[in-house]
Amino acid sequence: MTTDVNESGALNLVVREPAPTEVGRAIYLFQHLVPPPGSRLIIGVRTQPIERLVAASAGWLKGNIARFRVACLPGVKRAAVSGPLVAKMEEWARNQGAETLEYADLLADENELCAILGALGFSCTRSERYFEVSTRRAYDRVMALAGKYRADIPAGWRTESIRTHSPETVVNLVAQHALLPLSELRHYWQTDSPFGFEMDMSSTLFDGRLPFGTLLLRRSSEAFVIDVRVVTCENPRLRALGNLCLFLHVCQHGDPDGSVRWLQFRGGETEHRETANLAIRMGGQELPPRRVFGKRLR
């Protein structure tokens, strides 16, 4: 089934499933946000003046929630292609029995997709707070604390880069706190994954052979984005020492004066307040919140 769209005569779009030879080109549009394996792909093909793949959407299930993402070529207006692609994603999600259709990425208020999705019946379902700390300031803070408290760190604790382990090592830690979908965890863990985890800076914290903490970060063009930071100690003092170990590992494997100058933290609007406290203690500043947009299907 195809859908033809003509916006003021400027764009003739056919929305359909990709042919096998088009799948690679469709996935390429998402650049560093590659859809999880097995995602439902829909493409938008401009038919005039020549046929050209200009946009795509990808959808996947997370329990009873269908998540999706839209991408397009540079220079193509998102507003011109999003409507029919989102409609196809909604049709697919309903057929899968999903209760909610949710855009997969957190969106800043100035992102044009906020208005586009709002016009298509979506609304903000959750907000997350973002914090940014300069890598130099974070490095100085961590090294000062390490010098002060190194003797208090239990002798059996150690961090190891995730390069030497599989994602299954930390699955229970991540799933317990719903910090990242497990499909994304496994995808970002692959060494050839675009915009995947920094394999040497990301680490797991062990007590003997037992993993009880992990810090997983990815590199964007301007920041190291911390996706997961968890230490499962009940004792607040030991938990603080565990976090110190994880950040010390980052400092030992990264350059605070390199090309990436920022660390970014995120936490829920009301939950994960420890993240906000940690970022502020490191001398960070809060950025505008980013929001999840969703739509109830039934």
Side-chain angles (χ1 to χ4, degrees):
M1 177 180 179
T2 63
T3 302
D4 292 313
V5 178
N6 187 301
E7 186 185 47
S8 303
L11 182 65
N12 292 283
L13 197 74
V14 172
V15 177
R16 58 172 171 80
E17 295 184 11
T21 56
E22 297 171 316
V23 170
R25 283 189 289 150
I27 291 176
Y28 179 79
L29 293 180
F30 296 96
Q31 298 183 23
H32 58 271
L33 296 173
V34 177
S39 295
R40 168 74 166 183
L41 281 176
I42 296 293
I43 61 172
V45 178
R46 187 183 65 193
T47 59
Q48 295 179 359
I50 60 172
E51 185 172 281
R52 187 183 187 191
L53 195 160
V54 296
S57 59
W60 60 94
L61 292 175
K62 180 187 174 185
N64 59 5
I65 298 175
R67 308 183 79 199
F68 77 102
R69 182 176 287 131
V70 174
C72 56
L73 284 176
V76 174
K77 293 182 178 180
R78 286 183 181 272
V81 299
S82 293
L85 288 170
V86 173
K88 283 293 186 181
M89 285 290 103
E90 184 172 340
E91 177 185 330
W92 164 79
R94 290 183 186 278
N95 291 337
Q96 297 299 311
E99 295 183 358
T100 303
L101 180 62
E102 185 176 274
Y103 198 75
D105 302 321
L106 289 157
L107 303 175
D109 289 342
E110 66 271 17
N111 193 309
E112 63 178 328
L113 277 172
C114 295
I116 292 171
L117 291 171
L120 295 173
F122 289 75
S123 60
C124 174
T125 59
R126 187 176 78 253
S127 296
E128 291 200 6
R129 300 171 71 188
Y130 266 72
F131 299 85
E132 190 173 72
V133 185
S134 79
T135 53
R136 167 48 65 180
R137 179 169 290 188
Y139 178 89
D140 291 342
R141 169 77 173 175
V142 170
M143 298 309 292
L145 290 173
K148 185 176 182 180
Y149 294 108
R150 193 183 297 270
D152 297 333
I153 297 173
W157 288 13
R158 73 185 188 283
T159 57
E160 295 184 6
S161 296
I162 66 170
R163 186 182 297 278
T164 59
H165 296 277
S166 75
E168 310 310 313
T169 306
V170 301
V171 159
N172 290 337
L173 297 175
V174 174
Q176 179 180 348
H177 299 277
L179 296 170
L180 191 73
L182 295 185
S183 61
E184 293 185 21
L185 172 75
R186 295 185 175 102
H187 176 70
Y188 292 144
W189 202 288
Q190 300 174 40
T191 56
D192 60 348
S193 172
F195 196 51
F197 295 133
E198 290 291 305
M199 302 300 289
D200 295 313
M201 295 174 67
S202 300
S203 69
T204 302
L205 178 61
F206 292 87
D207 184 358
R209 300 180 63 181
L210 175 68
F212 71 101
T214 189
L215 189 153
L216 306 174
L217 54 80
R218 292 178 290 146
R219 177 175 180 163
S220 71
S221 59
E222 57 189 26
F224 288 117
V225 180
I226 298 174
D227 286 308
V228 174
R229 179 187 56 84
V230 59
V231 178
T232 57
C233 293
E234 293 291 336
N235 184 296
R237 181 173 175 277
L238 290 177
R239 187 165 61 248
L241 288 173
N243 277 304
L244 177 59
C245 290
L246 291 169
F247 279 104
L248 181 60
H249 182 99
V250 173
C251 292
Q252 291 170 337
H253 290 80
D255 180 0
D257 299 313
S259 59
V260 178
R261 308 302 293 272
W262 301 97
L263 282 179
Q264 282 189 358
F265 301 77
R266 70 179 184 182
E269 196 72 52
T270 57
E271 68 274 19
H272 305 310
R273 293 189 178 183
E274 181 191 357
T275 295
N277 295 335
L278 175 63
I280 292 170
R281 286 198 303 272
M282 282 187 167
Q285 60 180 351
E286 186 163 7
L287 302 175
R290 300 184 190 183
R291 311 187 192 283
V292 172
F293 279 76
K295 182 178 185 178
R296 295 285 298 180
L297 300 180
R298 56 190 175 95

